Amino acid sequence: MFKATAITLIPEAWPGPLGASILGRARAEGIWDLETVDLRTFGLGKHRKVDDTPAGGGAGLVLRPDVAAAAVDSVQKCPDLSRSVPAMTRPVVYLSPRGRRFDQEMARQWAAGPGVILFCGRFEGLDERAIEARDMQEVSLGDFVLAGGDVAAMAMLEAAIRLLPGVAGNSASITGESFENGLLEYPHYTLPREWEGRQTPPVLLSGDHRRIEEWRISRSKALTFDRRPDLYAAYSETPTPTAPETGDEPD
């Protein structure tokens, strides 16, 4: 079973969208499990203090390393020993805007393993010593800053969990998605065939599966070239790719 652990100051926010739709059903079926650990439980003193002012001055508060490490150690604790041992299987991830950007490849790596431990930060961040001492991997959802790591953690987990066997009803719906082959996904159409003067591309109604596949690949290339030239450059065999065909059906 894939196990996700979220260390957070707002456990009431979980499971959020992870508890609905196919992910919620998969959890109920035992395909994956979620554990939430309240960081406040490990806080110090009467008020369970988890943070303090930044060394060297500055605005905001910083999560204390002793509090953070205690929470991580409680998850990593070996049930047969009285001491905490480093986790050898599940990575410990700290959600941080300065971390490596999360992508589909990382989602696949997580899905192929036994799970992940996610430390959801708050305030100005986490004391660097805790990150180093507990060998945390810093991962970012993107080039922007959130109020905390919980939303980012949920998004990353959704990306990984939906790849687990048995979660998606049709595995073919995953293999053709954006980023799976280095390209953005082609456009989709359904009923009605004509809507507000816009037609479904005739090639999709032709019944010719070879032509349909060619059209979809061509549209994927064109969309990627237009919207994500960085992805297209990596996909293309040529150092400086030229604009691909639009993929429109010929007259």
Side-chain angles (χ1 to χ4, degrees):
M1 178 189 293
F2 180 96
K3 183 173 182 179
T5 298
I7 302 174
T8 173
L9 276 170
I10 50 172
E12 64 273 15
W14 293 78
L18 302 179
S21 189
I22 61 172
L23 274 67
R25 289 196 297 270
R27 186 184 179 196
E29 293 169 1
I31 296 176
W32 73 284
D33 190 26
L34 173 66
E35 171 190 28
T36 55
V37 176
D38 188 351
L39 183 61
R40 187 72 63 182
T41 303
F42 303 90
L44 307 176
K46 177 181 177 181
H47 300 291
R48 298 288 183 182
K49 190 174 179 61
V50 300
D51 51 37
D52 219 313
T53 55
L61 296 166
V62 177
L63 292 170
R64 293 176 56 112
D66 46 359
V67 173
V72 172
D73 291 346
S74 74
V75 175
Q76 296 181 340
K77 189 165 179 131
C78 175
D80 299 326
L81 300 174
S82 59
R83 61 185 179 86
S84 294
V85 297
M88 300 305 293
T89 52
R90 291 197 296 163
V92 182
V93 172
Y94 170 50
L95 285 303
S96 166
R98 72 180 192 182
R100 172 188 165 188
R101 186 181 296 183
F102 184 79
D103 56 18
Q104 191 69 10
E105 177 58 30
M106 192 180 299
R108 284 194 291 264
Q109 292 173 2
W110 288 7
V116 62
I117 300 168
L118 298 161
F119 189 99
C120 304
R122 284 271 149 182
F123 314 126
E124 293 303 309
L126 174 60
D127 189 298
E128 188 72 16
R129 293 169 293 179
I131 299 171
E132 296 172 352
R134 294 304 179 266
D135 194 24
M136 297 186 184
Q137 302 175 18
E138 294 187 69
V139 180
S140 172
L141 187 61
D143 296 340
F144 50 86
V145 179
L146 299 171
D150 294 85
V151 171
M154 291 179 193
M156 294 176 190
L157 282 177
E158 179 168 333
I161 293 167
R162 61 188 299 276
L163 298 177
L164 298 175
V167 174
N170 185 352
S171 59
S173 66
I174 292 178
T175 57
E177 291 178 327
S178 293
F179 310 114
E180 287 297 331
N181 61 357
L183 297 171
L184 299 181
E185 194 171 6
Y186 51 81
H188 293 278
Y189 298 85
T190 185
L191 296 174
R193 299 306 184 205
E194 179 181 350
W195 177 76
E196 293 191 352
R198 300 170 186 270
Q199 300 282 344
T200 299
V203 66
L204 299 180
L205 309 177
S206 68
D208 188 329
H209 297 293
R210 182 187 63 79
R211 290 179 62 215
I212 291 172
E213 182 63 19
E214 290 175 349
W215 180 90
R216 287 174 170 171
I217 293 174
S218 179
R219 291 304 299 144
S220 286
K221 289 180 179 179
L223 282 169
T224 306
F225 181 87
D226 180 58
R227 300 180 183 180
R228 290 293 304 274
D230 57 323
L231 288 179
Y232 188 77
Y235 168 83
S236 177
E237 294 181 353
T238 57
T240 307
T242 57
E245 299 287 338
T246 63
D248 294 332
E249 185 185 18
D251 296 332

